[in-house]
Amino acid sequence: MMTLGSGSLRVDLKLIADMVQPGSRVLDVGCGDGTLLSWLGDNKQVDGRGIELSMAGVSAAVAQGLSVIQGDADTDLKDYPQGAFDTVILSQTLQATRAPKDVLSNMLRIGRRAIVSFPNFGQWRVRAGLAIGGRMPVTDTLTYEWYDTPNIHFCTIRDFTELCRVLNIRIDTAIALDRDGGVLPMSGAGWLANLVAAQGLFVLSRGA
């Protein structure tokens, strides 16, 4: 097991950044304040664009000189032309979308590949919190109380891989991360990763 990280980027963003080709066309969906886009522009000279629901996030990103607009992944991705980007990124946002199935489909319509990370609701800490405590869990990756969370579609790693199968989406890379950022093995159906991983990270492309 190894731990990866880099400066101001959180662990999953560093892994995502390592997967992006220099000089490529990138759309970061739910880009927040533009931290990842800024890093990719400075270090990999990408042609980066961002879409963010929060006006505060958009303002912070634009203040850095980034090309970020206010928008909603559920409704606005359909307006982008097919094949407009090399890579479309959705980091820690899938669970907050109203129609994750449509969002994934649109990501792979407008991008040659998609990179997706999300908190794993199947982790043992989450299961234990529900089974023993009888309350909705609050963890390092699920940080909100049930009454003020933006997350509306929790899923597990196994749920996600099954959705990819249903949508005929090819999983090119699958990475599981523990709560400390350690990279865990992901093989077969990922049952062990589904139990111990705090989050999953996937590189996707269109199936044959």
Side-chain angles (χ1 to χ4, degrees):
M1 181 176 68
M2 60 181 176
T3 301
L4 301 177
S6 177
S8 61
L9 289 183
R10 67 175 192 251
V11 175
D12 67 310
L13 293 185
K14 174 59 172 67
L15 289 168
I16 290 170
D18 289 343
M19 297 170 178
V20 174
Q21 294 297 314
S24 58
R25 299 165 300 161
V26 174
L27 176 66
D28 189 359
V29 182
C31 65
D33 63 3
T35 297
L36 178 60
L37 280 175
S38 179
W39 192 96
L40 289 172
D42 291 342
N43 294 276
K44 291 200 166 181
Q45 293 72 52
V46 304
D47 178 6
R49 303 285 187 273
I51 178 172
E52 168 58 32
L53 186 61
S54 160
M55 195 62 235
V58 174
S59 298
V62 171
Q64 301 178 67
L66 300 172
S67 180
V68 173
I69 61 171
Q70 186 175 27
D72 187 335
D74 282 301
T75 58
D76 296 334
L77 290 183
K78 69 180 189 307
D79 296 329
Y80 287 89
Q82 183 170 342
F85 300 95
D86 297 306
T87 301
V88 181
I89 298 167
L90 187 72
S91 174
Q92 302 296 317
T93 303
L94 182 66
Q95 73 281 355
T97 62
R98 292 187 297 277
K101 181 178 175 181
D102 294 338
V103 169
L104 285 176
S105 295
N106 268 316
M107 288 175 68
L108 285 169
R109 179 186 63 80
I110 65 178
R112 183 173 55 85
R113 64 176 188 158
I115 303 177
V116 179
S117 69
F118 56 89
N120 174 34
F121 203 69
Q123 188 199 28
W124 71 267
R125 293 178 185 276
V126 176
R127 301 187 196 196
L130 284 169
I132 299 172
R135 298 183 60 190
M136 290 297 290
V138 177
T139 69
D140 294 338
T141 52
L142 297 167
T143 57
Y144 296 91
E145 294 286 354
W146 67 270
Y147 50 80
D148 64 359
T149 179
N151 301 322
I152 56 177
H153 280 120
F154 291 117
C155 75
T156 71
I157 286 173
R158 291 185 68 182
D159 286 328
F160 183 80
T161 57
E162 174 61 15
L163 178 58
C164 289
R165 185 193 67 78
V166 169
L167 295 177
N168 193 32
I169 291 173
R170 184 169 58 235
I171 297 175
D172 297 320
T173 304
I175 297 173
L177 297 172
D178 67 19
R179 63 182 301 195
D180 298 317
V183 178
L184 304 168
M186 179 97 74
S187 59
W191 69 268
L192 181 59
N194 194 56
L195 181 64
V196 299
Q199 55 183 310
L201 194 161
F202 294 81
V203 181
L204 311 172
S205 58
R206 289 180 289 272

